[in-house]
Amino acid sequence: MARKQGSVTRSFTFDGKRYYVTGENEVDAEVKKALRLRDLQEGKVLLSGDMPLRKWAEICIDTYKTNQADITKKKYVNRMNHCILEHIGDYPLKRITPLHCQRVINLQKGNSKYQINQVYQMLNFLFDRAVENKHILSNPAKNIQRPAGTKTSRRSITDAERKHILSVAFANKKYTLFLLMLYCGCRPSEAAECKGCDITTITDSGAEYHMLHIRGTKTENADRMVPICDELYQVIKDTPKFDYICPDKNGKARSETSRRRLWDSFRRDISISMGAKVDKNGNIVGIKPLASDLTSYCLRHTFCTDLQKKGVDLRSAQYLMGHSDITLTANIYTHADTTTIIQAAEKMNGKAYASSDGTTGGTTP
């Protein structure tokens, strides 16, 4: 995780322990260092087993998570507050037992395995650091049992879904964010941050190629240049230089909440495009034809599988996806969807097959 550009970290020792503070610049870092030292000297920060878990969590994050990007740290803090501190944050460190920790992790029952593992790791992070700093004798979360959890697998969109997704997205410009995910492989937060100045054109051997600079924030690899197909370019090419390509109604970058609401609206319009019935208030009634497992990330997943089908090599796909680890890309590349399997079967049987763009593939001899 990249540290915020321009940030300055200072460290100091107090009572035999090492502390770190991070500021936006040299002056800010020195001020925070002085304030932290004053608080320690005045006893405002009581580093002992009597300290509430909430305060210890704040110190741990400030001390050990200095390399997290701002957006990553914000999500981390929000999850910790909601899943852990809301329940046992006011308990003194030395009073928290394995039973307390087990109850906290049990509250995650029914959530995804990823979510459960995140909470489990947070608990152990807090108490392992407390043990290392000799505030408690042992980690009460060490042997807790995690609920089974659910496993959600992101998938590519089907040809039928693609038809309606494109129809709805091109008909209403507010849905351009989802076109950026499908055609450029943007993460939702990345698509929300794209501006007109991120659209560029390069020339090679007389040919012009339109590109999008994705200013990724998740990892260093996330910052990348991705080609823009002609259909999408026609939609976004006139975006003013400093305007967001997919702004909210106030012209600002869409927040996570705003993006969630936009996706709900998009799903509704896709369902209607597929033939769903609506009442006089515009609410869908009866069966919703759109699959319940279709998430916005399916669009980004589809971008990757489209790269595979077009013969883009794995290393190039890793770059275009902004993956820090090539195994993440490989996991998608090695996932054969139903269409791929059917096409392989038809090839093996010497039959022609129809591709997703409507053209017909050849037959085996």
Side-chain angles (χ1 to χ4, degrees):
M1 302 295 178
R3 181 184 301 170
K4 183 179 179 181
Q5 188 174 6
S7 64
V8 177
T9 298
R10 289 287 179 267
S11 65
F12 64 95
T13 301
F14 178 81
D15 196 22
K17 294 185 175 64
R18 197 73 174 167
Y19 299 89
Y20 297 84
V21 294
T22 301
E24 295 181 356
N25 49 50
E26 295 276 351
V27 174
D28 188 45
E30 288 297 333
V31 169
K32 288 184 176 179
K33 174 182 173 182
L35 291 174
R36 176 61 64 83
L37 182 59
R38 181 202 66 187
D39 288 347
L40 289 167
Q41 290 172 337
E42 295 180 0
K44 289 184 179 178
V45 178
L46 181 61
L47 292 180
S48 73
D50 294 315
M51 178 172 41
L53 177 62
R54 189 182 307 280
K55 189 62 184 179
W56 176 241
E58 179 185 333
I59 294 171
C60 277
I61 292 172
D62 285 346
T63 305
Y64 296 105
K65 299 294 183 181
T66 56
N67 288 330
Q68 281 187 330
D70 287 347
I71 188 172
T72 304
K73 180 176 286 187
K74 183 178 179 180
K75 290 180 179 179
Y76 189 88
V77 170
N78 286 342
R79 180 178 277 121
M80 182 175 287
N81 284 334
H82 177 69
C83 300
I84 299 175
L85 303 182
E86 183 178 302
H87 307 290
I88 57 174
D90 296 326
Y91 291 24
L93 270 173
K94 67 182 182 182
R95 300 295 181 191
I96 297 175
T97 67
L99 182 64
H100 292 129
C101 295
Q102 187 65 58
R103 285 175 174 172
V104 166
I105 201 72
N106 286 350
L107 292 172
Q108 295 301 312
K109 184 178 180 180
N111 289 331
S112 68
K113 287 185 177 181
Y114 174 81
Q115 166 75 7
I116 292 171
N117 286 335
Q118 288 293 299
V119 177
Y120 176 83
Q121 289 169 13
M122 285 178 177
L123 284 166
N124 280 278
F125 162 70
L126 292 174
F127 294 117
D128 278 343
R129 299 294 85 77
V131 171
E132 288 174 5
N133 287 277
K134 299 185 169 126
H135 301 319
I136 55 177
L137 295 176
S138 61
N139 175 359
K142 183 177 181 180
N143 296 314
I144 60 175
Q145 300 299 309
R146 284 168 278 187
T150 59
K151 186 175 181 180
T152 56
S153 58
R154 290 168 184 160
R155 63 171 177 84
S156 296
I157 60 176
T158 66
D159 287 345
E161 288 169 339
R162 188 191 296 259
K163 173 186 173 182
H164 293 281
I165 285 171
L166 295 180
S167 174
V168 172
F170 279 114
N172 193 329
K173 198 168 183 179
K174 73 177 182 179
Y175 296 137
T176 301
L177 184 143
F178 303 120
L179 291 176
L180 290 179
M181 295 184 67
L182 179 60
Y183 283 135
C184 296
C186 291
R187 297 176 176 90
S189 58
E190 293 172 341
E193 293 292 335
C194 288
K195 294 183 176 181
C197 58
D198 294 320
I199 303 170
T200 60
T201 300
I202 62 175
T203 303
D204 183 66
S205 302
E208 288 189 340
Y209 300 92
H210 305 302
M211 311 291 288
L212 179 68
H213 180 196
I214 302 175
R215 302 176 186 277
T217 57
K218 190 170 184 181
T219 66
E220 292 180 359
N221 303 71
D223 194 284
R224 58 203 189 275
M225 295 288 289
V226 177
I228 308 172
C229 67
D230 291 338
E231 295 87 348
L232 177 57
Y233 181 71
Q234 294 305 316
V235 174
I236 66 176
K237 65 178 183 179
D238 296 324
T239 305
K241 188 174 182 180
F242 297 109
D243 286 4
Y244 290 103
I245 296 175
C246 316
D248 63 14
K249 62 182 180 180
N250 296 315
K252 298 181 179 180
R254 286 189 177 273
S255 64
E256 184 176 357
T257 300
S258 175
R259 296 195 301 270
R260 191 181 306 115
R261 289 173 179 168
L262 185 67
W263 175 249
D264 290 340
S265 174
F266 191 45
R267 280 186 57 90
R268 172 187 175 278
D269 287 354
I270 295 171
S271 289
I272 294 174
S273 175
M274 289 179 161
K277 305 300 181 183
V278 296
D279 60 22
K280 62 181 180 180
N281 295 318
N283 299 315
I284 295 178
V285 294
I287 298 175
K288 296 179 181 179
L290 187 62
S292 60
D293 67 341
L294 181 70
T295 67
S296 62
Y297 255 89
C298 290
L299 303 177
R300 177 169 150 81
H301 189 103
T302 301
F303 171 76
C304 192
T305 55
D306 283 349
L307 293 177
Q308 178 194 31
K309 291 175 182 177
K310 292 172 183 176
V312 176
D313 67 89
L314 188 58
R315 282 289 178 187
S316 297
Q318 178 193 5
Y319 169 79
L320 294 172
M321 288 291 289
H323 282 155
S324 59
D325 188 344
I326 198 170
T327 57
L328 298 173
T329 318
N331 285 339
I332 301 175
Y333 258 47
T334 55
H335 172 71
D337 60 17
T338 304
T339 303
T340 304
I341 296 172
I342 291 174
Q343 290 177 355
E346 291 178 339
K347 282 183 179 181
M348 292 169 68
N349 287 321
K351 298 177 182 178
Y353 63 94
S355 63
S356 60
D357 63 4
T359 59
T360 302
T363 59
T364 55

